[in-house]
Amino acid sequence: NLTETGLINYGLISGLTLSGLTSTLDGQLLLTKLGFFALMVALAGANRFHLTPRLEEKMRIGDHVGAIAALRKSLLIESGAATAILLLVSVLGLQSPQ
């Protein structure tokens, strides 16, 4: 799990303190990474339970342009969040322990 491994790595490197999550660069990067992950999970849920059924409904009646645009926008944001997570992980990997 992303949350568990992030907290374990943070704890092993920096010492697991709640104040360190907001006052150190490592903690701030970890919180940012977890925020982007939460965004990805929320968008995936929206895609699965809202946008995909809407797309199916619109395709049945022949009006799917708006549904496809909404699905494309959500997937673009989700891909951007995934890219941001990879960037944050690489920055975290290059940081020296504090």
Side-chain angles (χ1 to χ4, degrees):
N1 184 318
L2 182 72
T3 305
E4 293 167 352
T5 58
L7 289 173
I8 289 169
N9 283 338
Y10 172 75
L12 291 174
I13 293 171
S14 301
L16 190 57
T17 63
L18 292 178
S19 64
L21 283 173
T22 57
S23 64
T24 65
L25 179 61
D26 287 343
Q28 292 167 354
L29 290 172
L30 175 62
L31 289 176
T32 304
K33 180 178 82 167
L34 293 175
F36 278 115
F37 179 71
L39 174 65
M40 285 181 60
V41 170
L43 287 171
N47 288 343
R48 171 67 180 95
F49 297 111
H50 178 68
L51 295 174
T52 301
R54 182 174 155 204
L55 176 61
E56 290 173 0
E57 179 183 323
K58 295 284 187 178
M59 287 180 70
R60 269 195 302 262
I61 63 172
D63 178 27
H64 60 276
V65 174
I68 289 174
L71 187 60
R72 183 178 292 138
K73 180 180 176 182
S74 178
L75 291 172
L76 182 63
I77 293 169
E78 193 174 344
S79 298
T83 302
I85 288 172
L86 290 174
L87 178 65
L88 288 166
V89 167
S90 65
V91 170
L92 279 167
L94 293 174
Q95 294 292 319
S96 61
Q98 297 178 359

